[in-house]
Amino acid sequence: MKTIGQLLDTYPVDLGHVDRKALEACIEQCFECAQACTACADACLSEQEVAQMVKCIRTDLDCADMCETAGRVLSRHTGYDANVTRATLEACAAVCKACADECERHTAHQHCQICAQACRRCETACRELIAALG
Amino acid sequence: MKTIGQLLDTYPVDLGHVDRKALEACIEQCFECAQACTACADACLSEQEVAQMVKCIRTDLDCADMCETAGRVLSRHTGYDANVTRATLEACAAVCKACADECERHTAHQHCQICAQACRRCETACRELIAALG
Amino acid sequence: MKTIGQLLDTYPVDLGHVDRKALEACIEQCFECAQACTACADACLSEQEVAQMVKCIRTDLDCADMCETAGRVLSRHTGYDANVTRATLEACAAVCKACADECERHTAHQHCQICAQACRRCETACRELIAALG
Amino acid sequence: MKTIGQLLDTYPVDLGHVDRKALEACIEQCFECAQACTACADACLSEQEVAQMVKCIRTDLDCADMCETAGRVLSRHTGYDANVTRATLEACAAVCKACADECERHTAHQHCQICAQACRRCETACRELIAALG
């Protein structure tokens, strides 16, 4: 998603309040994780033992929604409010952690492993951006 | 939105982990606030002095996204995870507070006052549900 | 959701391009259906015979997403574009129909029946608003 | 977003109903366009002449919502329904076209040009996938 960086580069005012690199990485991970969790929830639905996947599906759905919201909040810079950004990142990191923990348990399903990795990358990116907010 | 209660009443398993009344109220306020913030952002866009409304528009957009995510997370009960619910409610309360604070400043615009009230109701409903989680 | 009407009443410019009553009804049905489909998908996940509910869950998720998008598009009036409104309403009516058809098949599950009714009301509201667009 | 392809590769059942390459491209363009439109709407909000950007902001918001819904619908394969997929793609192509047309008018703003290109790529990817559906 090279447009993330291009749009940060062409922003009409200075983005002085944020670590540009950590911000770009976090936006990218949020959108990638939102898609991965949506796809993983659906792959779980198509598994023969779907009854064993219901908690995984539910957590995937929560994580897709929260990552999408975080990705949108982070894509906005007008009228920046550190409290909003921090609260959003804390929630996103918590939901990504819960989803990674759950997906990692399903070692037989490759889609869960791929999704778990996307969740961990997003959790890490959120925590690094929180740290960068100071 | 009477279907919120009907769907809680017909849920196939016991919802023992939550305060039913606080849950229903919070789901309703989240969806109502998501719509109100979407409409208020657009009403602000159509104000003549739109340049004075840009922070309000931005906060409305964040609040619409977060309320929608919270309303969805709260509508799910399978594989309940208190950490996910609490983190989501904390973020939603914080974003609703920020949006209510901003909307209340625009006393000349009735849509901002109506939206601020929806945000305050949603913030309160989130905090009451957090308290009920124990 | 009485704020829907209040926000239409306090809109800063004339909403001359739309049938006010059909618009308000459609926004309300979109948000109600989005919540109902989210809750029904989760109730299906908690059914013992979840394996028989996978198509229903999937259609519920699609319908929740599309209704939410339609509810948001209809809540905006600035820079009105009839092509965007019509295309969105057509898609929403199609997805609501598919979801109602699927939910109605699961006669043993009350949540599916309640959700099917919400989908039919939303489908009808979309088609009535399309007709009102002329 | 390499996880899109990885998750298609590890899907538990055959994806026989779709053109794999056109599907993957379309999912990617939907998520990229959703982010680009969210960022462009906010960049427009921070322009000095925001009053001239209100239609662009509104169309960006519609396009972000519809692309996100389309990206989610396309990420699901369980219980495939060609009518749902086609209606969603038609709506997404229409909204992307409207947004690209509007963004292209703002030649002085690079973010609008970058966003217009993302919208055109997404519109094209939707139309190619519609054609591939047969």
Side-chain angles (χ1 to χ4, degrees):
Chain A
M1 292 179 66
K2 65 178 177 174
T3 50
I4 297 173
Q6 291 175 337
L7 285 160
L8 289 172
D9 288 339
T10 57
Y11 200 73
V13 290
D14 184 48
L15 294 172
H17 61 283
V18 285
D19 177 326
R20 166 75 161 70
K21 204 169 166 182
L23 175 64
E24 182 175 348
C26 197
I27 296 172
E28 179 149 23
Q29 295 304 328
C30 283
F31 279 88
E32 182 149 7
C33 192
Q35 195 279 330
C37 287
T38 301
C40 184
D42 182 69
C44 291
L45 264 190
S46 278
E47 290 289 351
Q48 279 198 305
E49 70 272 40
V50 59
Q52 294 166 38
M53 307 306 293
V54 296
K55 185 179 168 62
C56 193
I57 294 168
R58 186 260 156 98
T59 314
D60 274 335
L61 297 177
D62 286 353
C63 196
D65 291 337
M66 185 57 83
C67 285
E68 190 182 283
T69 288
R72 286 172 164 229
V73 170
L74 295 174
S75 298
R76 299 176 186 129
H77 317 293
T78 307
Y80 176 72
D81 179 332
N83 287 333
V84 166
T85 300
R86 191 173 285 109
T88 302
L89 287 168
E90 294 282 6
C92 193
V95 181
C96 285
K97 184 193 182 310
C99 196
D101 288 350
E102 176 61 28
C103 278
E104 283 172 1
R105 294 181 55 239
H106 303 282
T107 48
H109 300 316
Q110 277 188 282
H111 54 81
C112 287
Q113 301 311 303
I114 293 164
C115 185
Q117 291 162 18
C119 293
R120 286 289 175 221
R121 287 196 301 271
C122 192
E123 181 194 356
T124 300
C126 288
R127 295 205 193 285
E128 289 178 354
L129 188 53
I130 293 169
L133 293 178
Chain B
M1 291 178 68
K2 65 177 180 178
T3 50
I4 297 173
Q6 291 175 338
L7 285 161
L8 289 171
D9 288 340
T10 58
Y11 199 74
V13 290
D14 184 48
L15 294 173
H17 62 280
V18 284
D19 177 325
R20 165 76 161 69
K21 205 170 164 181
L23 175 64
E24 183 175 347
C26 197
I27 296 171
E28 180 149 23
Q29 295 305 328
C30 284
F31 278 88
E32 184 149 6
C33 193
Q35 195 278 329
C37 287
T38 302
C40 185
D42 182 68
C44 290
L45 264 191
S46 278
E47 291 289 350
Q48 280 198 303
E49 69 273 41
V50 58
Q52 294 166 39
M53 308 305 293
V54 297
K55 185 179 168 61
C56 194
I57 294 168
R58 186 260 155 99
T59 316
D60 274 336
L61 296 177
D62 286 354
C63 196
D65 290 337
M66 185 57 82
C67 285
E68 190 182 284
T69 287
R72 286 172 163 229
V73 170
L74 295 174
S75 298
R76 299 177 185 128
H77 317 293
T78 306
Y80 176 73
D81 179 332
N83 287 335
V84 166
T85 300
R86 189 173 288 109
T88 302
L89 287 168
E90 294 282 6
C92 193
V95 180
C96 284
K97 184 192 182 310
C99 195
D101 288 349
E102 176 61 27
C103 278
E104 283 171 0
R105 295 180 55 239
H106 302 282
T107 49
H109 301 315
Q110 277 188 282
H111 54 81
C112 288
Q113 301 310 302
I114 294 164
C115 186
Q117 291 163 18
C119 293
R120 288 287 175 221
R121 287 196 303 272
C122 193
E123 181 194 359
T124 300
C126 288
R127 296 205 192 283
E128 288 178 355
L129 189 52
I130 292 169
L133 292 178
Chain C
M1 292 180 66
K2 66 177 177 177
T3 50
I4 297 173
Q6 292 175 338
L7 285 160
L8 288 171
D9 287 339
T10 57
Y11 199 72
V13 291
D14 184 47
L15 293 172
H17 61 281
V18 284
D19 177 326
R20 165 76 161 70
K21 205 169 164 182
L23 175 65
E24 182 175 348
C26 197
I27 296 171
E28 179 149 24
Q29 295 305 328
C30 284
F31 279 88
E32 183 149 6
C33 193
Q35 195 279 330
C37 287
T38 302
C40 184
D42 182 69
C44 290
L45 264 191
S46 279
E47 291 289 349
Q48 280 198 304
E49 68 272 42
V50 59
Q52 293 166 39
M53 307 305 293
V54 297
K55 184 179 169 61
C56 194
I57 294 168
R58 187 259 156 98
T59 314
D60 275 335
L61 296 177
D62 287 353
C63 196
D65 291 336
M66 186 57 83
C67 285
E68 190 182 283
T69 288
R72 286 173 164 228
V73 169
L74 296 173
S75 298
R76 299 178 185 128
H77 317 292
T78 306
Y80 176 72
D81 178 333
N83 287 334
V84 166
T85 300
R86 189 173 288 109
T88 302
L89 286 168
E90 295 282 6
C92 193
V95 181
C96 285
K97 183 191 183 311
C99 195
D101 288 349
E102 176 61 29
C103 279
E104 282 172 1
R105 295 181 56 239
H106 302 282
T107 49
H109 301 316
Q110 277 189 281
H111 54 80
C112 287
Q113 302 310 303
I114 294 164
C115 185
Q117 290 163 20
C119 293
R120 287 288 175 222
R121 287 196 303 271
C122 193
E123 181 194 358
T124 300
C126 289
R127 294 204 193 285
E128 288 177 356
L129 190 52
I130 293 169
L133 293 178
Chain D
M1 290 179 67
K2 66 177 177 176
T3 51
I4 297 173
Q6 291 174 337
L7 285 160
L8 288 171
D9 287 338
T10 58
Y11 199 73
V13 290
D14 184 48
L15 293 172
H17 61 282
V18 284
D19 177 326
R20 165 74 160 71
K21 203 169 165 182
L23 175 64
E24 183 174 347
C26 197
I27 296 172
E28 179 148 25
Q29 294 305 327
C30 284
F31 279 88
E32 183 149 7
C33 192
Q35 195 279 332
C37 288
T38 302
C40 184
D42 182 69
C44 290
L45 265 190
S46 279
E47 291 288 350
Q48 279 199 304
E49 70 271 42
V50 59
Q52 294 166 39
M53 306 306 293
V54 297
K55 185 179 169 62
C56 194
I57 294 169
R58 185 261 156 99
T59 315
D60 274 336
L61 296 177
D62 286 353
C63 197
D65 290 337
M66 185 57 82
C67 285
E68 189 182 284
T69 287
R72 286 172 163 229
V73 169
L74 296 174
S75 298
R76 298 176 186 128
H77 317 293
T78 307
Y80 175 73
D81 179 333
N83 288 334
V84 166
T85 300
R86 190 173 287 107
T88 302
L89 287 168
E90 294 282 6
C92 193
V95 182
C96 285
K97 183 192 182 312
C99 196
D101 287 350
E102 177 61 29
C103 278
E104 282 171 1
R105 296 180 55 239
H106 302 282
T107 48
H109 301 315
Q110 276 188 283
H111 54 82
C112 288
Q113 301 312 301
I114 293 164
C115 185
Q117 291 163 18
C119 293
R120 287 289 175 221
R121 286 195 303 270
C122 192
E123 181 194 358
T124 300
C126 288
R127 296 204 192 285
E128 288 178 355
L129 188 53
I130 292 169
L133 292 178

